[in-house]
Amino acid sequence: MISLDHISKFYGRQDLLKEVSCAINPGDKIALVGVNGTGKTTLLKIILGRLEPDQGQVHLKKGLRIGYLPQEIIQLRGKSVIELVMELDADLLKAQTEYKEVSRHLNQAEDPQEQMALAARQSRLLEELERLGGYDLEARAKQILAGLGFLEDQFSAPIETMSGGWIMRAALARMLLMKPDLLLLDEPTNHLDLDSLLWLENFLRHTSSALLLISHDRIFLDRVVQRIFELEKGLLTVYQGNYSRYREEKEKRLHFTEAAYYTQMEKIRQMEDFIARNRSRKDRARQVQSRIKVLEQMERLESPQEEKKISFQFNEPVRSGK
């Protein structure tokens, strides 16, 4: 569906993304993880075509429909909540308009051949509307809004009267209603209460849309995703399984990396010690030169650095006055 081929993005002297390659397939449920500032949102915007990579290529399946929910608050005006949610992408609007037009011509047509051609076109448009999720649009829109915590009397409320958090919920509802081929969600749980969060978990587990998700909610990730894309120091590593499985596998990989690093450091120390002790000996000149050459050609492993952790506590305060 989507493949990234050696994508790199630079900001000044910083290599934000370094030759990132991966693929997203139909039905994938993927979390994009990494500490703040590692380029997660940048990668989403490159997939969307809103940012150009400095190197590499993005390959998208022809006709791919993508729904994107950004992390920042969206400013929306001039529509009711339900109108906003039902205002979907151009493909669906085009299919709806053409279906109405074909149906009108079919009711007026008298020539049998023209009737057959119009009926066949109407049937194809019905299939397209069903694929795009436009067949039972209003009923699904209300169901999704209710799942995200909206009350029925809020459906017709002007969107500008809503708080930023509720506007983000409405924008999320529109993304879910679209039924796109791929959902890109950047921190979708930030504005949800527990009931809405549980509803969203269930919806995302069962949607046919592929999903690429950024979230710091580890429990949410455990319940929703099946693969992890980790961005660290500009590099992307793919892990199979949910977030807990990813942490286990990363811990194992860190231990192996540490072992390889310290083994190499000891080997380098021994060779440097041999060179220092025997540099002036003519009978060891060939061995000294051999070790110098090995050291020069050796690919040095980087020191593995685990994420820094902090620990703090709040002391029990003295009871305040009334």
Side-chain angles (χ1 to χ4, degrees), residues 20-256:
V20 167
S21 295
C22 61
I24 302 173
N25 302 309
D28 273 348
K29 302 290 190 294
I30 303 167
L32 181 59
V33 304
V35 298
N36 290 339
T38 53
K40 300 187 295 295
T41 300
T42 297
L43 189 62
L44 294 191
K45 290 181 178 180
I46 287 174
I47 291 173
L48 286 163
R50 298 184 182 182
L51 274 180
E52 287 292 325
D54 295 314
Q55 293 177 3
Q57 290 185 314
V58 180
H59 303 283
L60 275 68
K61 179 183 174 183
K62 187 177 180 181
L64 184 72
R65 298 170 65 245
I66 300 177
Y68 173 54
L69 182 76
Q71 185 177 353
E72 64 270 12
I73 295 294
I74 301 170
Q75 299 298 324
L76 299 167
R77 303 182 66 81
K79 292 182 171 61
S80 69
V81 171
I82 190 73
E83 286 172 342
L84 171 75
V85 172
M86 291 177 62
E87 183 184 65
L88 301 184
D89 64 349
D91 290 340
L92 178 55
L93 292 174
K94 180 181 176 182
Q96 287 175 327
T97 301
E98 188 175 354
Y99 176 78
K100 290 177 183 178
E101 189 69 14
V102 168
S103 298
R104 184 176 65 81
H105 283 304
L106 182 60
N107 291 333
Q108 298 172 352
E110 297 180 358
D111 179 61
Q113 288 188 339
E114 185 182 4
Q115 287 176 341
M116 287 180 63
L118 288 168
R121 181 59 185 156
Q122 185 187 55
S123 177
R124 286 194 295 272
L125 285 167
L126 273 174
E127 291 177 2
E128 181 70 0
L129 284 170
E130 188 170 359
R131 183 184 74 83
L132 296 173
Y135 195 61
D136 53 350
L137 197 63
E138 187 172 352
R140 288 194 303 109
K142 291 179 177 180
Q143 184 181 30
I144 290 172
L145 283 169
L148 292 176
F150 284 90
L151 301 176
E152 191 168 350
D153 59 3
Q154 292 177 299
F155 294 172
S156 57
I159 191 65
E160 57 265 30
T161 65
M162 297 286 173
S163 68
W166 284 100
I167 290 175
M168 291 300 289
R169 290 195 195 203
L172 174 60
R174 181 168 63 178
M175 292 300 100
L176 301 181
L177 184 63
M178 268 179 64
K179 291 177 68 175
D181 302 308
L182 173 63
L183 278 166
L184 302 180
L185 303 181
D186 195 346
E187 297 288 358
T189 64
N190 280 356
H191 307 283
L192 302 182
D193 56 24
L194 181 58
D195 288 339
S196 300
L197 177 61
L198 294 173
W199 180 89
L200 181 62
E201 282 179 5
N202 185 64
F203 185 97
L204 294 178
R205 280 203 305 267
H206 294 96
T207 183
S208 59
S209 301
L211 173 67
L212 184 58
L213 165 72
I214 298 173
S215 176
H216 288 90
D217 188 331
R218 299 179 179 190
I219 297 174
F220 180 73
L221 294 180
D222 267 348
R223 292 174 175 170
V224 172
V225 305
Q226 296 137 11
R227 274 205 297 164
I228 302 288
F229 287 176
E230 182 199 47
L231 276 174
E232 187 176 39
K233 299 178 183 177
L235 303 175
L236 186 138
T237 307
V238 179
Y239 293 83
Q240 300 299 326
N242 62 13
Y243 188 84
S244 293
R245 178 70 183 276
Y246 147 72
R247 292 300 305 173
E248 292 172 6
E249 291 301 314
K250 183 173 181 181
E251 193 70 25
K252 290 178 185 176
R253 185 173 293 192
L254 184 63
H255 286 317
F256 286 132

Side-chain angles (χ1 to χ4, degrees), residues 2-8 19-23 53 55-59:
I2 290 180
S3 65
L4 305 183
D5 186 14
H6 295 89
I7 296 295
S8 295
E19 301 212 353
V20 167
S21 295
C22 61
Q55 293 177 3
Q57 290 185 314
V58 180
H59 303 283

